[in-house]
Amino acid sequence: MSINIAERQLPKQYENYAIDQDRLRQRFQDKDNEKKKNSVRHFSYDTVEITPDGRSALEQEMVETIRARQGIRVEGRLTSVSSQSVFEEFERAVSAEQRAHTASGNFDRHVDKMVSAYRQMKRAIEEKYANRSQEQSYFITDDKSVQPLTQETELELLDKAYEQHSMAMASFTESLNDLQDFKPQIIYHRSGSHVREQSDYQPQSGSADGAKKKKGEIRDQAYQAFMSAIGKGSFQSGSGSAAFSRSELNRIWDHYA
């Protein structure tokens, strides 16, 4: 047996290759110049570093401008206190509260963290204003006006932060309750067709007595429980429906523990 091998000449095959270095260099320079031009176009501004003293002086000048526009003639300093800053501080305080992991009573566990963070911040505010020689401070309200910062104002901002957290966690509790009725399905794909197979998961009842709660009822129960923990709500633990509701809220959280 014999094998014949034919060597075919590829079209446009050359033995010598030459690179136009000048032209290639010019192309690189053009791209580099274009990149610098775009950089200047997007970042053509000066930067400056401001010291803490300089920043404080700038903030003071800004508040004086605002005061002048509003006709305010008072002496004092502008603080960074705002409804948003107090809310963020409260969120950090709750997260910093450490509690041992439990298999039951997780709703009460979170209430305890909220109350502890609230009391610590409240005590810090009261101690700050116990110093009678403290300089008068001002803060910018949500409507952008400059108002005196007092102990009553800071406590009101703290209460508002606690309420916002309570509303968010109450909605979260309702979502946890709704997810218990979720019934997952598994779909298998085989040879161009699919076979749907339902899992053996059985949804939990919407409440401890098997009755489906109305929309918003769980959320309202959780919200009232959070607020009553600091004496701001009507939810009272003890006997009857209140005790049953608290037990139900713990059951919802414990389901995901």
Side-chain angles (χ1 to χ4, degrees):
M1 181 177 65
S2 62
I3 299 175
N4 296 324
I5 300 177
E7 183 177 355
R8 179 177 298 174
Q9 187 75 11
L10 295 176
K12 298 183 180 179
Q13 184 175 4
Y14 303 95
E15 295 181 358
N16 298 320
Y17 297 89
I19 298 177
D20 190 343
Q21 296 182 359
D22 294 336
R23 183 179 180 184
L24 189 60
R25 185 183 299 109
Q26 185 62 41
R27 289 178 59 186
F28 284 141
Q29 288 179 351
D30 292 342
K31 288 185 178 181
D32 187 55
N33 292 336
E34 183 65 23
K35 186 181 298 184
K36 290 181 180 179
K37 186 183 300 182
N38 292 335
S39 178
V40 172
R41 183 183 303 120
H42 292 290
F43 302 100
S44 58
Y45 54 84
D46 296 330
T47 59
V48 62
E49 294 184 3
I50 303 177
T51 64
D53 291 340
R55 183 180 297 276
S56 177
L58 181 59
E59 291 178 348
Q60 189 65 29
E61 184 176 349
M62 291 173 62
V63 73
E64 290 297 339
T65 302
I66 297 175
R67 288 172 180 169
R69 291 178 180 176
Q70 297 179 359
I72 301 175
R73 293 292 181 269
V74 291
E75 295 296 331
R77 67 183 184 89
L78 179 68
T79 69
S80 59
V81 174
S82 67
S83 59
Q84 182 62 28
S85 68
V86 175
F87 174 73
E88 292 174 354
E89 184 180 356
F90 179 74
E91 291 288 301
R92 289 192 294 268
V94 173
S95 299
E97 290 288 330
Q98 299 295 326
R99 298 292 186 277
H101 179 75
T102 59
S104 62
N106 285 281
F107 180 85
D108 286 334
R109 177 172 174 264
H110 189 77
V111 172
D112 182 50
K113 292 174 63 176
M114 290 173 58
V115 172
S116 179
Y118 174 85
R119 288 175 177 171
Q120 288 184 31
M121 292 181 64
K122 181 180 180 181
R123 183 164 53 251
I125 293 172
E126 292 171 344
E127 290 175 353
K128 181 176 70 172
Y129 284 94
N131 182 9
R132 296 180 180 273
S133 62
Q134 181 174 321
E135 180 186 8
Q136 177 63 62
S137 300
Y138 294 82
F139 77 109
I140 299 179
T141 64
D142 292 338
D143 61 2
K144 306 306 179 184
S145 64
V146 178
Q147 298 295 335
L149 185 63
T150 63
Q151 176 176 332
E152 291 72 20
T153 301
E154 290 208 54
L155 291 176
E156 288 176 1
L157 293 175
L158 176 58
D159 287 345
K160 181 179 179 181
Y162 185 94
E163 183 179 7
Q164 285 180 298
H165 183 86
S166 298
M167 293 174 63
M169 297 310 297
S171 297
F172 173 71
T173 303
E174 183 177 56
S175 297
L176 291 181
N177 181 68
D178 293 341
L179 285 173
Q180 292 181 87
D181 293 331
F182 175 71
K183 197 169 186 178
Q185 292 180 335
I186 303 175
I187 301 177
Y188 297 94
H189 295 270
R190 181 173 55 202
S191 302
S193 61
H194 68 270
V195 177
R196 175 171 294 180
E197 180 175 315
Q198 185 170 300
S199 72
D200 294 332
Y201 172 79
Q202 297 297 326
Q204 298 291 327
S205 174
S207 62
D209 63 354
K212 181 66 176 178
K213 290 291 183 183
K214 295 180 180 180
K215 184 66 175 177
E217 190 171 351
I218 292 292
R219 182 186 66 246
D220 294 341
Q221 288 179 359
Y223 174 77
Q224 291 300 329
F226 289 133
M227 297 303 296
S228 65
I230 59 171
K232 302 291 185 179
S234 59
F235 190 109
Q236 300 294 328
S237 60
S239 58
S241 60
F244 169 78
S245 299
R246 192 59 169 262
S247 176
E248 184 176 27
L249 294 171
N250 274 292
R251 178 191 61 78
I252 294 171
W253 280 56
D254 293 344
H255 179 78
Y256 299 92

